[in-house]
Amino acid sequence: MSKLERIKELVELLNRAGKSYYAEGTEIMSNFQYDTLYDELKKLEEETGYVLSNSPTVNVGYEVLSELPKERHESPMLSLDKTKDRETLKSWLGEQPGLLSWKLDGLTIVLTYEEGELSKAVTRGNGEIGEIITNNARVFANVPVTIPYKGKLVIRGEAIITYSDFERINRQIPEADAKYKNPRNLCSGSVRQLNNKITKERNVNFFAFNLVSADGVDFNNSRKQQFEWLKQQGFGVVEYKEVNKNNILDTIDWFENNIKTNDFPSDGLVILYDDIEYGNSLGRTAKFPRNSMAFKWSDETASTILRKIEWSASRTGLINPVAIFDTVELEGTQVSRASVHNISIMEDMKLGIGDEILVFKANMIIPQIAENITRSGNMEIPKICPVCGGATRIEESNEVKSLYCTNPDCQAKHIKGFAHFVSRDAMNIDGLSEATLERFIQNGFIKRKVDLYHIDRFKDEIISMEGFGEKSYNNLIDAINKSRKTNLVRIVYGLGIDNVGLSNAKMIVKHLDNDPNRIMNVTSEELVGIDGVGKVIADSIVSFFDNEEKCREYTDILSEVTLEEEDTSQNNNILEGKTFVITGNVNHFPNRNALKNLIESMGGKVTGSVTGNTSYLINNDAMSNSTKNKTASKLGVPVITEVEFLEIAGIDNLT
């Protein structure tokens, strides 16, 4: 292949990877691969003098694709030239004083203030045209809406989401393939929302890194004074250090030592001249300004041997490949596994068992495969799901191939059913989060709910699992054994029968005299005769026990437990016959669902709308003009606070 042909190939490949990453939120290659190919392309262009018009070395960004309004920047937002060599950075600085700061990995934003108020916020977009996101910027966690300075101010900075917020948000997403891949992707989607309520919930932060203009303010020709002035106006400013030719290398070491404990994503450093006029006098190239430069970490890599690909099934059917290799030390920690993300990346690297691979930590945090040296390509894509044995299928979307399980009854797709079974109001098995259940299912430890009562068969495997030692295992076994003493209500509720809530389970079990056998043969007509049980609920129960497999699991669960009658003493049924509606914020409960569960446990009902049958509307704001309050007033339904409810329920405290 000639150099010109290789240039064309690299341009096409890098543009496709860039579009996937920036515009579609997917990855077809690692950052390490992208940088390696980019450097190869740049070198070839310099050698041949041949540069394509759509080369990523001359194009700044990608076209924006949302419905947000667009605006052209007053001056192009250029990217930065970069190096991984410390001596190159020192040589670039020369005799000039400079500022060295984090290169934050988020979304670049331009903020404009006029007469002391935020008037406009625009994304970087493709460097020439950005998206107007003013309403979203107003709800960033740390952006001032008004500032003391009354002239026109234009600043640039990076919107980011911290690692802790990234993990918090991902924990709230049950589907593995719906989780965000990294904080940058999450931030990009959060900043560009059409509904700024979502932006606010994501806790986006903004850190200024460049003061473009501030009418009438003298900064004594110093970038440092600009940063300090921005701090006085109330802005978050990217953390920086003053450097010169004598201390720059030590300062780089300081940043490198501190990145490991940062809660914010950073993919390198930025250096700029403190002397504003000197920096501006240097001008710019077609793509880069000459007054600043980026420094990217030389990723620490380690050679190891790929031992297997672990196929991890999720509740949506997606089966992700995870590379398992001989343990190596990277950035001070032991690493033995790395996500490969999808089949496209696996095929591009030609991964195979026994291959020698180079691994690294992206941004010094996330383990990834940098390169496959052997490239045997002997890896076979599994034709059956590792969890259920059902057939798999390869699907392609946006040029990315992924593997899916086609079996609708795959256990991995029913994590929520297992989680419901072990929940507090059901079998109450502490220590079994959805994430833990998912790992147990993926490893084949549990296929049916009743298998939880024989989890001790996999003691050695569980103890050796990451984050799950002997103490955690023993606590889990204790919780499982404790759950063996239970009542029929908990079991019926825990089965997850469609439309059967806790209060329904109580009424049905009570009507059937706590007889575990009667529910398997009860008719729809008999169930409908129970006050509060309609035909939909009745049909769901009959249908459930008509299913031979589900009925067998129910009897198997019964064989593992000792049934006790539910405690109906004291206040347990004090709310029987009363119907409640809950609205507004709650103060004495973690959420409204907790209050609902308490009411149902005491025999009451909770509905969503105020009607003539409503006994009480619970709302801590009795003077609210909400629709529910107005309806309650018209119908003569009492509006009570949580405290008043607790008095009615006869509860002195909630401990």
Side-chain angles (χ1 to χ4, degrees):
M1 179 184 294
S2 70
K3 290 183 178 180
L4 296 188
E5 288 173 334
R6 179 57 174 165
I7 287 175
K8 292 176 182 178
E9 181 182 60
L10 288 171
V11 167
E12 190 277 331
L13 180 59
L14 291 170
N15 282 342
R16 185 153 53 90
K19 181 181 179 184
S20 292
Y21 184 77
Y22 289 104
E24 296 162 358
T26 59
E27 294 182 38
I28 62 173
M29 67 174 63
S30 70
N31 289 340
F32 187 96
Q33 285 177 289
Y34 185 93
D35 287 344
T36 301
L37 295 178
Y38 182 96
D39 290 342
E40 180 188 350
L41 173 62
K42 188 176 179 181
K43 183 179 179 182
L44 286 171
E45 288 176 340
E46 290 171 352
E47 290 176 359
T48 63
Y50 181 74
V51 182
L52 291 169
S53 62
N54 64 335
S55 170
T57 65
V58 295
N59 285 335
V60 175
Y62 298 90
E63 293 300 323
V64 292
L65 301 175
S66 79
E67 299 176 22
L68 292 164
K70 314 296 190 297
E71 178 174 288
R72 183 172 294 277
H73 296 298
E74 292 183 9
S75 59
M77 297 187 66
L78 304 176
S79 58
L80 298 179
D81 198 3
K82 67 179 186 296
T83 182
K84 291 186 176 181
D85 183 70
R86 298 174 184 228
E87 290 296 334
T88 298
L89 205 67
K90 180 179 179 181
S91 175
W92 178 91
L93 182 62
E95 300 295 325
Q96 290 287 328
L99 303 178
L100 191 62
S101 64
W102 297 111
K103 184 177 182 294
L104 300 178
D105 192 15
L107 196 69
T108 301
I109 307 291
V110 184
L111 300 183
T112 300
Y113 287 78
E114 296 178 280
E115 297 182 355
E117 295 188 1
L118 176 62
S119 60
K120 187 168 56 180
V122 184
T123 67
R124 179 179 187 272
N126 66 359
E128 297 283 344
I129 299 173
E131 297 160 310
I132 300 173
I133 49 104
T134 311
N135 286 339
N136 294 346
R138 291 181 189 279
V139 297
F140 286 0
N142 67 337
V143 164
V145 178
T146 62
I147 59 175
Y149 173 68
K150 302 306 177 186
K152 182 177 180 180
L153 170 67
V154 180
I155 60 174
R156 293 174 180 172
E158 199 81 353
I160 63 165
I161 287 179
T162 63
Y163 285 116
S164 53
D165 280 324
F166 168 73
E167 291 164 1
R168 170 183 61 82
I169 292 166
N170 262 351
R171 282 196 299 269
Q172 297 168 357
I173 303 173
E175 294 79 13
D177 55 328
K179 294 180 185 292
Y180 293 94
K181 298 296 186 294
N182 53 58
R184 189 203 179 279
N185 282 0
L186 173 58
C187 183
S188 177
S190 303
V191 167
R192 300 165 66 236
Q193 287 289 328
L194 298 178
N195 179 356
N196 70 354
K197 180 176 183 292
I198 298 174
T199 306
K200 182 176 178 62
E201 292 169 350
R202 300 283 174 79
N203 201 37
V204 178
N205 279 267
F206 173 88
F207 293 94
F209 59 67
N210 182 23
L211 191 156
V212 179
S213 62
D215 294 346
V217 183
D218 184 3
F219 297 108
N220 297 314
N221 195 37
S222 169
R223 293 289 183 189
K224 178 189 175 184
Q225 288 198 23
Q226 287 184 336
F227 279 169
E228 295 305 310
W229 182 83
L230 286 173
K231 289 179 183 178
Q232 294 169 11
Q233 298 298 313
F235 293 99
V237 172
V238 63
E239 184 179 18
Y240 69 90
K241 299 285 184 182
E242 295 180 76
V243 291
N244 54 47
K245 65 178 182 180
N246 297 317
N247 71 354
I248 185 170
L249 297 181
D250 289 339
T251 307
I252 293 173
D253 289 339
W254 182 90
F255 278 100
E256 183 175 10
N257 291 331
N258 279 272
I259 192 173
K260 299 168 188 175
T261 57
N262 282 349
D263 192 31
F264 53 84
S266 168
D267 56 356
L269 304 175
V270 174
I271 190 168
L272 70 161
Y273 296 117
D274 183 55
D275 188 321
I276 298 173
E277 291 183 4
Y278 174 77
N280 291 341
S281 71
L282 300 176
R284 46 172 278 193
T285 67
K287 186 177 180 182
F288 306 122
R290 290 194 173 100
N291 66 346
S292 53
M293 175 179 273
F295 172 81
K296 299 200 73 173
W297 306 110
S298 295
D299 298 300
E300 179 185 341
T301 61
S303 174
T304 184
I305 302 299
L306 179 64
R307 295 303 178 185
K308 71 173 182 176
I309 291 290
E310 183 180 277
W311 295 91
S312 176
S314 74
R315 67 199 71 195
T316 60
L318 178 69
I319 305 175
N320 280 314
V322 179
I324 310 298
F325 44 82
D326 291 341
T327 302
V328 292
E329 182 171 316
L330 287 173
E331 312 295 349
T333 62
Q334 301 294 308
V335 179
S336 60
R337 54 194 292 129
S339 174
V340 187
H341 297 304
N342 53 59
I343 292 176
S344 293
I345 291 178
M346 194 173 76
E347 290 180 341
D348 180 64
M349 287 189 170
K350 295 185 178 179
L351 292 177
I353 302 303
D355 282 354
E356 181 183 358
I357 59 175
L358 289 180
V359 293
F360 75 110
K361 278 189 174 183
N363 294 348
M364 298 188 179
I365 295 174
I366 304 170
Q368 290 188 7
I369 299 177
E371 183 182 352
N372 181 12
I373 297 172
T374 311
R375 298 180 69 83
S376 70
N378 66 28
M379 186 66 61
E380 292 187 7
I381 310 300
K383 291 182 170 55
I384 62 170
C385 172
V387 171
C388 70
T392 62
R393 179 179 65 245
I394 296 175
E395 297 182 6
E396 186 168 346
S397 176
N398 294 325
E399 301 184 22
V400 175
K401 294 180 184 177
S402 299
L403 187 67
Y404 285 87
C405 172
T406 62
N407 176 16
D409 295 321
C410 177
Q411 293 90 346
K413 296 181 181 180
H414 298 283
I415 297 291
K416 285 194 175 297
F418 285 89
H420 176 77
F421 181 73
V422 304
S423 65
R424 186 190 64 181
D425 291 327
M427 301 310 291
N428 193 26
I429 303 178
D430 192 28
L432 278 176
S433 65
E434 285 194 23
T436 299
L437 286 166
E438 193 163 14
R439 292 167 72 188
F440 282 5
I441 289 171
Q442 289 169 353
N443 286 301
F445 301 162
I446 52 177
K447 296 184 181 297
R448 303 192 305 155
K449 297 180 178 71
V450 72
D451 292 340
L452 287 166
Y453 290 98
H454 301 282
I455 201 74
D456 56 334
R457 292 177 296 182
F458 302 99
K459 177 180 178 179
D460 293 341
E461 292 93 328
I462 293 172
I463 289 175
S464 65
M465 285 171 57
E466 185 178 349
F468 219 104
E470 183 106 27
K471 183 177 180 180
S472 297
Y473 170 81
N474 290 334
N475 289 340
L476 174 59
I477 295 299
D478 288 344
I480 290 173
N481 289 333
K482 186 178 178 182
S483 77
R484 290 179 183 273
K485 287 187 177 181
T486 187
N487 58 61
L488 191 57
V489 171
R490 287 182 175 274
I491 292 176
V492 171
Y493 175 65
L495 292 174
I497 304 171
D498 289 345
N499 306 304
V500 178
L502 184 59
S503 60
N504 303 128
K506 287 177 183 290
M507 290 185 289
I508 293 165
V509 168
K510 183 178 180 182
H511 175 82
L512 299 176
D513 300 322
N514 279 283
D515 186 341
N517 296 314
R518 283 182 64 184
I519 195 169
M520 291 188 289
N521 303 300
V522 69
T523 64
S524 181
E525 290 74 21
E526 182 179 358
L527 289 169
V528 170
I530 303 172
D531 182 34
V533 177
K535 191 173 188 314
V536 173
I537 294 175
D539 288 347
S540 291
I541 293 171
V542 172
S543 175
F544 183 91
F545 287 101
D546 277 346
N547 182 299
E548 186 178 341
E549 177 57 34
K550 291 178 178 177
C551 195
R552 184 185 303 114
E553 180 160 54
Y554 168 68
T555 56
D556 287 347
I557 292 170
L558 288 175
S559 69
E560 298 291 340
V561 302
T562 301
L563 289 181
E564 302 172 334
E565 282 207 31
E566 187 186 12
D567 182 15
T568 57
S569 63
Q570 297 179 349
N571 293 327
N572 263 31
N573 292 308
I574 196 171
L575 301 180
E576 189 170 359
K578 292 183 173 60
T579 301
F580 296 81
V581 174
I582 308 167
T583 190
N585 296 323
V586 292
N587 302 321
H588 298 274
F589 296 83
N591 49 54
R592 286 191 290 187
N593 197 50
L595 174 54
K596 174 179 180 288
N597 289 339
L598 176 62
I599 292 171
E600 291 180 344
S601 72
M602 300 178 72
K605 297 179 186 177
V606 177
T607 62
S609 302
V610 178
T611 69
N613 294 323
T614 304
S615 306
Y616 297 98
L617 170 63
I618 302 176
N619 186 352
N620 286 320
D621 184 3
M623 304 305 292
S624 167
N625 287 320
S626 69
T627 301
K628 287 186 172 68
N629 272 35
K630 290 177 181 178
T631 304
S633 178
K634 288 180 182 178
L635 298 175
V637 174
V639 181
I640 61 173
T641 64
E642 281 175 273
V643 173
E644 291 169 321
F645 161 75
L646 294 172
E647 291 175 357
I648 292 170
I651 299 174
D652 294 328
N653 59 68
L654 293 173
T655 58

